[in-house]
Amino acid sequence: MRTASTQQPSTERTDRETRPSGPATPLRALGEVPWREIQDSTGSAAAIPLLLNTIAWGGPEAASGALHELRDRICQYGFVVEQATAATVPFLWELAQLPQVTCRARIIQLLKNIADARQWEHTASAYPKLLNHRENHVVWERAARRAVHARRAALRQLMAEEDAEIAHASTELARSLGE
């Protein structure tokens, strides 16, 4: 014979979406950035999502090649940032923290280059008319630096990595950020 439950009915909503409790899917927010509408050093930044995905999921050679191309697109010569740089930085931070990524130390070095970039700012101090251009590179440079600073909380974990190259690159980035 079954007995009726004496428990009170639940007031908890059951119609809400449930998410798995595991780690978030890497680079999940790539689609939220209007890549085709912003510029990298080649023109449209539409290729950046593919490059970031190749860095995340490609083998060592493919990831290294994609990172090299990405660097040329968002931080040419290691100090010239572009409009797409600030939008790319959060994804670089994410990749730097993923154990499966094979070029993490180089990603951290790229973040340091972006944090140190002041090419346009220095040029604008000598030629203030640069600040009046429609494409204001000084604004892009400052936004990119702010984007690096915004995620610096990840540095403590990265500096504690067993991989000496990652730990060293992270320490250098921390110094650059004044940490």
Side-chain angles (χ1 to χ4, degrees):
M1 178 192 302
R2 289 174 65 190
T3 58
S5 170
T6 58
Q7 293 179 348
Q8 294 293 320
S10 173
T11 57
E12 186 175 323
R13 287 183 57 181
T14 59
D15 61 339
R16 90 187 114 178
E17 178 185 327
T18 57
R19 295 179 187 254
S21 59
T25 305
L27 306 176
R28 194 165 117 191
L30 274 175
E32 297 173 17
V33 177
W35 297 106
R36 292 188 186 286
E37 297 170 24
I38 58 177
Q39 300 291 307
D40 65 18
S41 67
T42 66
S44 170
I48 289 179
L50 177 61
L51 294 170
L52 290 167
N53 275 305
T54 303
I55 294 166
W57 304 111
E61 196 171 306
S64 181
L67 181 60
H68 180 75
E69 185 175 342
L70 182 67
R71 173 186 285 276
D72 285 347
R73 287 173 173 264
I74 65 165
C75 191
Q76 263 191 325
Y77 314 114
F79 59 86
V80 180
V81 301
E82 300 292 336
Q83 183 182 26
T85 306
T88 307
V89 165
F91 301 107
L92 292 173
W93 274 113
E94 187 177 347
L95 291 171
Q97 296 172 73
L98 295 174
Q100 79 266 18
V101 174
T102 58
C103 51
R104 293 167 65 204
R106 290 182 43 220
I107 292 168
I108 297 165
Q109 290 166 349
L110 175 55
L111 287 167
K112 181 186 181 309
N113 290 145
I114 294 167
D116 291 341
R118 286 177 174 61
Q119 171 71 20
W120 294 109
E121 208 169 64
H122 291 315
T123 304
S125 66
Y127 303 102
K129 287 183 180 184
L130 275 178
L131 300 173
N132 298 328
H133 286 205
R134 185 176 59 88
E135 293 182 349
N136 191 331
H137 291 80
V138 175
V139 170
W140 299 347
E141 199 172 69
R142 289 175 181 162
R145 283 199 311 267
R146 279 193 307 274
V148 174
H149 280 266
R151 303 280 176 115
R152 69 185 181 273
L155 278 172
R156 180 165 287 143
Q157 178 186 353
L158 290 169
M159 289 188 298
E161 287 274 341
E162 289 183 19
D163 182 310
E165 193 176 6
I166 292 171
H168 176 72
S170 300
T171 301
E172 290 297 313
L173 176 55
R175 272 192 205 114
S176 190
L177 298 176
E179 296 289 313

